[in-house]
Amino acid sequence: MTLKDRCRVIQFADFGDERGKLVVIEGNQAIPFKIKRVFYIYDSDSTVVRGQHANKESEFVLINVAGQSKVRITDGKEEFIVELNKPMMGVYIPKMIWKDMYDFSSDSVLLVLASTHYDGKEYIRNYDDYLKIMGEIHD
Ligand code: TYD
């Protein structure tokens, strides 16, 4: 399976009517895990790069509920970039995938749904360490 197939872009159902729009995301339905944690990132801008880590245990879905940002996704071999610019789209990021979030618009609110409670110990924050681990996994 290619990296793009694994980290798929998900289009959420949009219950729009004349009163406005409503997007629903239910764990284990629209996204492939039970949601244990929600956080959001705002007040970032086009000069910063966030993320820069891979997670041993956590799966994520990233959604720009306002504004836009980009996510660079890699497994150390393949790489692709997703532009998050609609509240009804998200990108699913499985375990052990490296991600960088950048190019935030000033109105960007990046919502993140996670499959785990926070545990700083499951983060790999050094790219060389990540490549080493992935090399061992790939080989
Ligand atoms: P960080 O992982 O650097 O954010 P990003 O992935 O967007 O670059 O997290 C920033 C700070 O927030 C860091 O001190 C850890 C803390 N944090 C929590 O306490 N709980 C969480 O669920 C998250 C995502 C971060």
Side-chain angles (χ1 to χ4, degrees):
M1 214 195 275
T2 66
L3 184 65
K4 238 179 169 160
D5 292 331
R6 295 183 63 210
C7 304
R8 61 189 187 282
V9 170
I10 304 171
Q11 302 292 337
F12 302 115
D14 184 357
F15 295 95
D17 59 30
E18 63 287 348
R19 297 169 301 164
K21 294 184 188 291
L22 187 155
V23 176
V24 185
I25 303 165
E26 296 203 38
N28 278 337
Q29 294 186 17
I31 65 170
F33 58 81
K34 198 172 150 202
I35 300 161
K36 283 206 180 158
R37 176 166 50 119
V38 173
F39 57 95
Y40 41 93
I41 295 166
Y42 63 102
D43 252 359
S44 291
D45 62 29
S46 59
T47 67
V48 299
V49 181
R50 302 202 56 127
Q52 305 192 82
H53 46 59
N55 294 73
K56 293 180 188 165
E57 301 298 337
S58 300
E59 300 165 68
F60 299 100
V61 169
L62 275 56
I63 305 150
N64 256 103
V65 292
Q68 48 197 335
S69 70
K70 294 192 182 104
V71 195
R72 187 185 306 109
I73 297 169
T74 182
D75 62 0
K77 291 198 165 163
E78 297 173 60
E79 176 187 297
F80 73 101
I81 291 167
V82 179
E83 187 165 344
L84 296 172
N85 55 11
K86 292 181 207 78
M88 71 283 279
M89 76 171 280
V91 62
Y92 168 64
I93 302 185
K95 297 174 192 179
M96 289 305 290
I97 299 294
W98 190 272
K99 60 234 168 269
D100 302 320
M101 295 87 86
Y102 63 103
D103 256 6
F104 296 91
S105 60
S106 55
D107 60 346
S108 171
V109 181
L110 179 60
L111 176 70
V112 182
L113 311 176
S115 64
T116 59
H117 294 299
Y118 182 70
D119 174 6
K121 293 193 293 296
E122 62 116 6
Y123 279 70
I124 304 167
R125 291 186 178 272
N126 178 293
Y127 192 61
D128 288 337
D129 291 348
Y130 173 71
L131 289 179
K132 242 177 249 163
I133 294 167
M134 292 308 280
E136 281 158 21
I137 290 173
H138 282 304
D139 295 341

